[in-house]
Amino acid sequence: MTVIPVQFRHLNTFIEVARQKSVSRAAGVLRVSQPAVSKTLRELEAAVGVRLVERDGRGIRVTRFGDVFLQHAGESLLAIRRGIDSVARTQASLQPPLRVGALPTVAARVMPLAIRRFLAANSDVPVKIVSGENTVLLAQLRSDELDLVVGRLAAPDQMKGLNFAHLYAEQVVFAVRPGHPLLADGAVDFTRIREFTVLMPTQNSVIRPFVERFLIAHGIGELPEEIETVSDAFGHGMLRHSDAIWIISEGVIALDRAAGDIAILPIDTSETRGAVGLTTRAAVASSASVALLSRSVSEVVGALGL
């Protein structure tokens, strides 16, 4: 059986000439000289044994044999490119993923933009994003189940063996639905929050101590109807369907507030401000992937003006 010496460049050149109907225009697209295109076409026609193109005035016309070959050439070229892409995806999947823990405070407005920058940097490293309570994420970081945690600075006793790089500071807010009864009075009587269901951060959440100190300082002890949650979906749902008050870091609902879907009670919560940043293991040198994502997060924070 005779082996036909047809190569990728032959198919690619023929398809481009057929598309452009011109050797000169095809040469410009392929970024080669016109003589190189003509030579490649002659080699292909010699291999196939028939004329595939012919002159048509100042341009090029595909022959009847060329039309037949063109369909198979396109399918072959597509199959080769799919094969190359499949190998690249398989190679990427064999690499260990970059494992990132993201607290809700950054998961909504910072991480999506940071991941876009990370992927745009031609990184073939797969990424795994995990969300959860701060104590859980830090425990996973220590046990090498995560490479990086992005969120609020934890209490000193939880930071042993860890490094923290500050990005910005944010505070806790009291989020409600637009048109909430407490918004009608202008200045809010803080004690009236006891009249409504209050969504509180859980005991293990990083902002819980800030919230407890704030409530005590303003004369609020036990709340009659309190629900602990770390679920963003539940918080959004409760505000959409009730007069509940959601005590949450401002970053979690920043996009909803900008869109007018969530309102903030006019309460000065500046004393709840806390540092948000990047937490890594102190004894482990950061990989190139961790460094790239960290830089991406920092650039997004700067672009957002946080």
Side-chain angles (χ1 to χ4, degrees):
M1 179 178 179
T2 304
V3 178
I4 300 176
V6 176
Q7 302 175 19
F8 180 90
R9 65 182 177 87
H10 292 115
L11 300 179
N12 196 38
T13 299
F14 172 60
I15 290 173
E16 197 57 50
V17 169
R19 181 183 294 119
Q20 300 295 334
K21 295 182 173 58
S22 166
V23 170
S24 61
R25 288 198 296 269
V29 172
L30 297 171
R31 296 183 179 180
V32 297
S33 66
Q34 292 185 43
V37 171
S38 299
K39 180 174 182 292
T40 300
L41 284 176
R42 289 196 299 271
E43 291 174 352
L44 179 59
E45 290 176 334
V48 178
V50 294
R51 292 291 302 274
L52 299 176
V53 298
E54 59 186 14
R55 290 190 176 279
D56 183 21
R58 294 184 178 181
I60 291 293
R61 182 178 66 84
V62 178
T63 67
R64 181 164 60 89
F65 295 113
D67 283 332
V68 173
F69 185 75
L70 182 61
Q71 178 180 351
H72 297 285
E75 292 174 351
S76 299
L77 202 61
L78 180 60
I80 292 172
R81 286 171 174 161
R82 284 175 174 170
I84 293 172
D85 290 342
S86 296
V87 170
R89 287 194 297 270
T90 301
Q91 185 180 30
S93 67
L94 295 177
Q95 298 184 51
L98 175 60
R99 305 157 303 173
V100 183
L103 292 182
T105 185
V106 297
R109 62 173 171 175
V110 174
M111 288 308 296
L113 298 175
I115 291 298
R116 281 181 57 189
R117 286 180 180 249
F118 178 79
L119 297 177
N122 297 320
S123 173
D124 294 327
V125 178
V127 182
K128 177 182 178 182
I129 305 292
V130 178
S131 189
E133 292 186 338
N134 191 61
T135 53
V136 175
L137 295 182
L138 293 183
Q140 292 176 333
L141 181 62
R142 286 194 187 87
S143 61
D144 196 27
E145 296 174 64
L146 293 175
D147 303 302
L148 174 69
V149 172
V150 189
R152 275 226 183 192
L153 173 63
D157 62 316
Q158 297 181 38
M159 291 300 296
K160 294 178 181 177
L162 302 176
N163 284 336
F164 181 83
H166 181 273
L167 291 171
Y168 62 97
E170 72 173 8
Q171 62 200 53
V172 171
V173 295
F174 288 69
V176 295
R177 68 170 180 82
H180 191 279
L182 290 181
L183 294 172
D185 300 332
V188 175
D189 178 359
F190 191 68
T191 60
R192 288 195 62 197
I193 71 168
R194 294 172 55 84
E195 301 173 15
F196 304 92
T197 300
V198 178
L199 308 186
M200 284 278 287
T202 60
Q203 292 291 338
N204 291 328
S205 68
V206 70
I207 65 171
R208 179 65 181 235
F210 292 89
V211 173
E212 289 181 339
R213 288 195 295 268
F214 184 83
L215 292 176
I216 292 172
H218 290 78
I220 302 295
E222 185 175 345
L223 294 166
E225 196 166 278
E226 173 186 320
I227 300 176
E228 290 190 2
T229 182
V230 292
S231 171
D232 296 346
F234 178 73
H236 282 88
M238 282 292 289
L239 265 56
R240 189 177 304 114
H241 299 294
S242 74
D243 287 334
I245 300 172
W246 188 12
I247 305 178
I248 191 68
S249 292
E250 61 180 337
V252 178
I253 49 86
L255 298 179
D256 304 278
R257 185 184 184 187
D261 298 327
I262 287 180
I264 302 298
L265 293 181
I267 299 170
D268 183 6
T269 58
S270 56
E271 62 193 84
T272 66
R273 289 180 67 83
V276 176
L278 308 162
T279 304
T280 54
R281 292 189 299 280
V284 179
S286 295
S287 67
S289 298
V290 170
L292 176 58
L293 181 56
S294 298
R295 185 169 70 250
S296 299
V297 173
S298 298
E299 289 171 352
V300 168
V301 168
L304 293 175
L306 299 178

